[in-house]
Every structure is written in structure tokens, then in C-alpha cells.
Amino acid sequence: MPDWAPHLILALIAGAAGWVLHAAFVRTRRRAARDRVPIPTMLESALASTPIGIGFVDRDLRFVRVNDALARFTNVSPDEHGGRRIRELLPHPAGALAEPLLQRVFDTGEPALGLEVQLPAAAHLESLRHFIVNLYPVRDPRGEVCWVGASITEVTALRRTQQDRERLLAALRESEARFRALSESGVIGVLVADPERILEANDAFLDLIGYSRAEMVAGQIRWSEITPPEYDELDQRAIAQLLETGVCRPFEKEYLRKDKRRVPIVIGAAITQQAPLEWACFVIDISERKRAEQ
């Protein structure tokens, strides 16, 4: 075999291997191109499926293109928007509000973002629908603003939730103010407790049982210290009622003051926290009534 023969054989093998790899690469690239969804098709699908209303208008303030979500807002099909003025299709007064805003984007080339718009609901004129609108310039290859794009997101449900939360907070603040006024009035004792001790109390309750606020903070006012032994069973029934129903109906008993004098009272309670268990109580001194009865 001539000396150059092995080199020729190796060259042929390398060429054949290269051709095989090239053919495999070409087939793979063709398959990927065939399987890949074209970007314009993907964008069209996204534009059609998004819940955000999206549309484009030209310098004459006529619609160029809208998606399905915006078409639902105007109750006109997307195809029927083309070439029609926004004032003609947008519900009153949205068109009149939108025109100067769109014109400003055309004139300045600056977007207008986060615009909050309120419109009357068609079925209930006394109620409002809330929207967040973004307007942005769309430029041609020369950099000039040829269209203005708009995205419209309805946030009515979110606004209602916020309004409900604000009303609830206002009601809670009003309730807290009433409770605070009652607690600070000195007419009745108000306290928060767990099964072992008094956690918080107003001055009227502390004066009733003869303990100081410092002793309460130190955890020294315990039910076992202020309850005469004969009321233990009654208290256990009250706690069982609390656990079963969340409230304890008012009942009469006596407290044992720090100086060991007894005070007749009426007490009622309601659970404020399950874990760990806590409840709020109101306590009324009925000493005057008992003396009158006697």
C-alpha cells in the first residue's frame, strides 16, 4: 500500500463523518423551525387571551386595533373598531375623558401611567366601575409617535374590597371608642383574663377587688385568690359554657377582695382568643342592690 493511502482513507472517513453530522444538524434545525410557534402568532394569542383591555389609536383618535377584552368593554366586536373614533365607541363619558389624554401623549411623546378612572355601571347608574388606564406612545422607524397604545384594567372588585375594609375599620374604631368610653367611665369593671389570672383590667375593676395595677401586671391577681371556694363549681360551669358557645351568660357570684371583704357582683364573658384561651368580662358591683333587698 502506498505511503499516502492511509492518509487518503482517514480524509475520506473524516469527510463522511462531517457530512453525516452536517445532515443531522440540518434535519434538527428544520424540525425545530417546524415545531417552533412563530412569534407573531404567540403575540396574537396573548393579545386575545389577556384579561387586560389593549387597544391602539392613530393621530385622528381613531381605533387601529383592539383586543377582545377591550371590545367587551365597548360591546363592539374587535373588527368593528377599525377606523372608528374613540368618542363614538367608548361609553360616555369615557370618550370625552380619553381624547385630551391621548392627544397629550401624541404631543409630548411621554406616557401617562396609572390613571384612575371611574365610570357609572350601565345597569346601575348609582354604582361605579373603577379602572386603571395606561397610555404609551408607539413610534415608527423614524422615531415619530404614530399610535398611542392603551391598557385598561378593571379594578372594581379590588376597590369594593378596599372600601369594605375601610368601612369595617371605621366601624371597629367606633366600637373601640365606645368600649374605651365604657371602660374609662368607672360604671362597670372590664377585664381580659385566661383560665389562671387577670391579664388586663380597667380601674373600676381594680378598685372593686382592691388590687393595684402593678400587682395585675405582675400576674398576682389570680382567679383562685379572688373567688370564694363555694363558687368554684359555678365558675367551672361558666368556663364550660364559654368553650361550648363562645359566651357566658351573666350570673351572680361574689368576689373576695384583697382585704378579704366579699363583694357581690354580676359577671358575663365572651371568648376573645382560642389559643391560648382568653376571654373578656364585664363586672357590675351589685352591693347597693343587695343592701336595698336586705
Side-chain angles (χ1 to χ4, degrees), residues 30-95:
R30 288 175 178 171
R31 187 182 303 113
R34 184 179 63 250
D35 296 340
R36 185 172 63 240
V37 178
I39 290 178
T41 302
M42 295 174 62
L43 292 177
E44 288 292 331
S45 176
L47 192 66
S49 61
T50 179
I52 299 173
I54 297 175
F56 302 92
V57 298
D58 61 18
R59 284 191 169 273
D60 294 328
L61 302 185
R62 296 179 183 275
F63 283 108
V64 177
R65 172 75 186 280
V66 303
N67 70 342
D68 293 346
L70 196 145
R72 286 193 293 270
F73 175 62
T74 60
N75 291 320
V76 177
S77 70
D79 292 339
E80 293 181 68
H81 280 72
R84 298 175 68 176
R85 297 186 66 87
I86 62 169
R87 186 187 287 265
E88 178 186 354
L89 294 184
L90 290 183
H92 180 77

Side-chain angles (χ1 to χ4, degrees), residues 231-242:
Y231 292 103
D232 285 344
E233 184 178 350
L234 184 62
D235 281 354
Q236 291 304 314
R237 289 204 301 268
I239 293 175
Q241 187 181 60
L242 266 176

Side-chain angles (χ1 to χ4, degrees), residues 58-197:
D58 61 18
R59 284 191 169 273
D60 294 328
L61 302 185
R62 296 179 183 275
F63 283 108
V64 177
R65 172 75 186 280
V66 303
N67 70 342
D68 293 346
L70 196 145
R72 286 193 293 270
F73 175 62
T74 60
N75 291 320
V76 177
S77 70
D79 292 339
E80 293 181 68
H81 280 72
R84 298 175 68 176
R85 297 186 66 87
I86 62 169
R87 186 187 287 265
E88 178 186 354
L89 294 184
L90 290 183
H92 180 77
L97 293 172
E99 284 188 347
L101 295 173
L102 291 165
Q103 192 61 55
R104 187 176 69 181
V105 178
F106 275 116
D107 294 341
T108 65
E110 298 294 330
L113 306 177
L115 304 174
E116 296 193 24
V117 178
Q118 298 180 4
L119 297 174
H124 304 283
L125 294 179
E126 70 279 2
S127 62
L128 293 174
R129 297 174 68 186
H130 300 262
F131 301 88
I132 298 296
V133 179
N134 295 303
L135 305 176
Y136 48 91
V138 178
R139 302 180 185 275
D140 61 19
R142 295 172 298 177
E144 297 180 359
V145 179
C146 58
W147 296 347
V148 169
S151 66
I152 303 175
T153 307
E154 183 165 4
V155 293
T156 303
L158 177 61
R159 287 290 182 268
R160 286 175 181 165
T161 301
Q162 292 174 339
Q163 291 169 357
D164 291 343
R165 187 182 298 115
E166 290 171 359
R167 282 194 291 268
L168 176 59
L169 289 175
L172 286 174
R173 285 191 291 268
E174 184 177 353
S175 176
E176 289 173 355
R178 290 172 178 168
F179 182 80
R180 191 180 304 110
L182 180 63
S183 176
E184 295 173 355
S185 67
V187 176
I188 66 173
V190 180
L191 62 112
V192 177
D194 64 18
E196 298 295 329
R197 61 188 182 279

